[in-house]
Amino acid sequence: MQFETIGVVGCGLMGHGIAQVAAAQGKKNVVVVETDAAALARGVQRIEQSLAKLAQKAVEKKQMDEATARAFVADARQRIKPSLQRKDLSGCDLVIEAIVENLDAKCELWRELDALCPSHTVFASNTSSFAVGAMADASRRPARTIGLHFFNPVQLMQLVEVVRTPRTEPAVLDAAFAFARACGKEPVACQDTPGFIVNRLLVPFLVQALLMLERGEASKEDIDTAMRLGCGHPMGPITLADYVGLDTTLSILEGWCRSHPKEPAFVVPRSLREKVAAGKLGRKTGEGFYGWDGDKRA
Ligand code: 3HC
C-alpha cells in the first residue's frame, strides 16, 4: 500500500502546512479542499509564502543554489491543486482532515467522504484531542481510519503521531509511517488515548503554568523564561499556549473534562476561559496573554 495522491480537507493553520510538506518534501500530488473561497485563497498564500521563506533560507545556508530553490518552489506549488469541491478528493489514496476541532463536523465529513472515495482510500484525522475510534465508526471503514497528528508549525516541527485503533489494519499503519517519513517527519506510534502522547503531557503542563500565574506565584515572563532557560524549551508555556491558540487549548480541555471527569490533570484555568470569552485567542487574533505581531510576540 502506498499513498501517492493525497487529499487535505481544510487549508487553515494545520491544513496548509500538511498540504505543503506532502507536496514539497513528500513529492505527492495534493488536492486541498476548503468550503470557503477566501479561506482557500489565504491558505494557498500561506503555502506560497512559506515555500519562498524555506527556499530563501536554504539559499542563505548554501544548501541550494538559486535555480534549485526556484525549481523546489515551483515543483511543490504545481503539485498542489486547490479546490472548493469535496468530490475532487475521489481520486485520493489518503485523505487527511484538518477541519475545525468539532467531532460532529468530523464524523459528518467522513460519512460524506465514504460515499465519494473508493474503498482503498485511507482516512486520517489530524485531531488533537478526539477519539479516532469515534471517527472510524462514522467512516464505515474502521480498518482504514487512523490519526495522523502533525504539529504547529507543520513546516518546521518534525513529529507526526500515528494513531491506531484496535481495528486498524497493520498495512495501513506501515503506509502511514512511510508517508510521514517521506514528508521529512519522524513518526511515533500512539494508541487512541486522550491527547495521544504529546498533548496528554503538554496540555496539563500549559494548565499548570496558567494556574501558577493565576495564583500570582510568578509573572508570565518569568514562567516562560524559567522553562526556556531551565529546561531548554524553545518557547515558554504561556507563549506556547498563545502560539497554539487559546481557543484550541480550551476546546481540548473542555472535551477531556466532559469525557474524563475524574482525571485530576484535566482542569480549565479561569484565565483561559476569560481570554477566550474576550476574543483574545493568542497569536491568531494578535492578542492573548501577550500581544502578537504576526508569528512573533510583539
Ligand atoms: N514556514 C517557513 N518558515 C517559517 C515558518 C513556516 N511556517 N514559521 C517560521 N518560519 C521561519 C521564521 O520566519 C524564521 O526565519 P528567520 O530566521 O529568517 O527569521 C525561522 O523559521 C525560525 O523561526 P523563529 O525565528 O520564530 O525561530 P525559532 O527558532 O523560535 O523557531 C519554532 C520557531 C520552530 C516555532 C520554535 O519556536 C518552536 O519549536 N516552538 C515550539 C512549537 C511547539 O511546541 N509546537 C507544538 C505545539 S502543540 C501542537 O501543535 C499540537 C496541537 O494539537 C495543539
Side-chain angles (χ1 to χ4, degrees):
M1 187 186 300
Q2 279 193 342
F3 304 140
E4 289 309 328
T5 305
I6 313 296
V8 179
V9 190
C11 197
L13 191 66
M14 300 302 287
H16 89 276
I18 296 170
Q20 181 180 328
V21 297
Q25 275 76 35
K27 304 283 174 211
K28 309 293 181 190
N29 295 318
V30 179
V31 181
V32 59
V33 177
E34 258 292 348
T35 42
D36 174 74
L40 186 62
R42 269 197 309 277
V44 171
Q45 189 187 27
R46 283 174 106 161
I47 292 173
E48 289 169 349
Q49 286 168 348
S50 174
L51 284 170
K53 181 89 199 174
L54 294 172
Q56 179 205 333
K57 294 204 78 150
V59 171
E60 281 166 15
K61 289 186 189 161
K62 302 205 183 316
Q63 293 162 333
M64 284 184 194
D65 59 31
E66 296 270 358
T68 313
R70 272 197 302 276
F72 163 80
V73 172
D75 176 66
R77 182 61 191 84
Q78 63 86 25
R79 286 175 183 279
I80 299 173
K81 180 182 173 213
S83 168
L84 290 167
Q85 311 227 24
R86 286 183 177 166
K87 68 176 169 47
D88 289 343
L89 297 165
S90 63
C92 294
D93 305 313
L94 168 70
V95 176
I96 306 171
E97 73 76 17
I99 65 169
V100 60
E101 195 67 354
N102 175 309
L103 186 58
D104 289 340
K106 289 179 193 288
C107 288
E108 193 186 312
L109 171 73
W110 293 132
R111 277 190 288 272
E112 184 183 340
L113 291 184
D114 181 53
L116 285 175
C117 296
S119 60
H120 82 269
T121 306
V122 168
F123 291 168
S125 174
N126 182 57
T127 183
S128 39
S129 60
F130 292 125
V132 175
M135 288 182 261
D137 290 335
S139 74
R140 297 192 197 95
R141 51 181 84 192
R144 288 181 172 253
T145 301
I146 56 171
L148 274 183
H149 186 211
F150 291 78
F151 291 82
N152 178 16
V154 177
Q155 294 89 342
L156 305 187
M157 303 303 286
Q158 285 183 296
L159 186 71
V160 174
E161 291 179 323
V162 179
V163 185
R164 68 181 182 280
T165 74
R167 294 169 290 173
T168 310
E169 199 179 295
V172 170
L173 285 179
D174 291 345
F177 270 72
F179 168 71
R181 289 197 181 102
C183 293
K185 306 297 180 195
E186 182 71 34
V188 291
C190 297
Q191 296 187 34
D192 191 18
T193 52
F196 318 128
I197 297 176
V198 170
N199 280 342
R200 181 65 179 82
L201 297 173
L202 177 67
V203 174
F205 163 60
L206 301 183
V207 165
Q208 287 305 313
L210 295 180
L211 294 177
M212 181 179 276
L213 180 65
E214 286 177 14
R215 291 192 300 269
E217 292 168 2
S219 68
K220 58 181 189 266
E221 291 84 1
D222 281 354
I223 293 171
D224 280 349
T225 302
M227 294 313 293
R228 275 196 307 107
L229 303 187
C231 292
H233 290 193
M235 287 176 175
I238 298 175
T239 303
L240 183 57
D242 267 3
Y243 189 85
V244 165
L246 301 179
D247 54 338
T248 304
T249 310
L250 178 64
S251 122
I252 292 173
L253 276 167
E254 285 181 335
W256 289 351
C257 289
R258 277 194 300 275
S259 59
H260 297 78
K262 297 206 170 109
E263 169 53 63
F266 299 163
V267 288
V268 181
R270 175 183 46 78
S271 55
L272 182 63
R273 262 191 224 291
E274 286 171 0
K275 290 284 180 199
V276 174
K280 296 178 178 173
L281 308 183
R283 174 178 57 142
K284 67 178 82 166
T285 56
E287 192 179 348
F289 286 93
Y290 294 99
W292 288 80
D293 184 6
D295 281 350
K296 306 257 183 207
R297 260 177 51 191

